Amino acid sequence: SRSVITSLSEANDLVEAIGSDIVGIALDSYHVWWDAALPQQITRAGERLFSVQLADWVTPIHGELSSRGMPGEGCIDMTGFVADCRNAGGYSGLVEVEILSDRWWAADPKDAVNAAANGLAAV
């Protein structure tokens, strides 16, 4: 509801049109996981993948931006997503766990960090 770029294909188009080595893509699993063309678009993004972020899709959604789950809590194939970024896209940077979640914000910080670390380790 707040973005004019609604797919990785559109992001690729924009980055290619700009044509600068310092402009790239922060790819967040939460926003693209359902795209049938995702593997091909990750390959297309290639070296323009500057950041890979993980957040799982957990239902029911309670808040548009605050219902994300730790990796492994929802339905996204996190292992496949990261593998596509690494293998097809050639991404070699850090993978970030980015959880915007009322549930996890209310949790003990140690529990949240442990859940993020465990989820990332499983990927």
Side-chain angles (χ1 to χ4, degrees):
S1 69
R2 294 181 187 92
S3 177
V4 296
I5 303 170
T6 59
S7 69
L8 181 52
S9 175
E10 290 176 353
N12 277 325
D13 290 345
L14 183 60
V15 169
E16 288 170 1
I18 292 170
S20 170
D21 291 342
I22 61 170
V23 176
I25 296 168
L27 188 60
D28 187 327
S29 62
Y30 191 81
H31 294 289
V32 297
W33 69 274
W34 55 80
D35 186 346
L38 186 59
Q40 295 84 4
Q41 290 301 317
I42 289 172
T43 299
R44 180 180 168 204
E47 65 186 29
R48 292 181 303 274
L49 281 180
F50 286 5
S51 173
V52 172
Q53 301 171 335
L54 303 182
D56 218 336
W57 187 272
V58 180
T59 56
I61 301 295
H62 296 288
E64 184 176 344
L65 295 175
S66 61
S67 292
R68 299 177 189 202
M70 295 292 178
E73 284 190 313
C75 62
I76 300 174
D77 174 9
M78 292 290 177
T79 302
F81 177 78
V82 172
D84 283 347
C85 292
R86 295 255 188 240
N87 300 327
Y91 182 74
S92 62
L94 298 174
V95 175
E96 173 187 3
V97 176
E98 183 193 55
I99 306 303
L100 305 176
S101 166
D102 293 329
R103 174 179 159 228
W104 285 108
W105 289 330
D108 181 299
K110 289 179 185 178
D111 293 338
V113 169
N114 284 334
N118 291 335
L120 186 56
V123 173

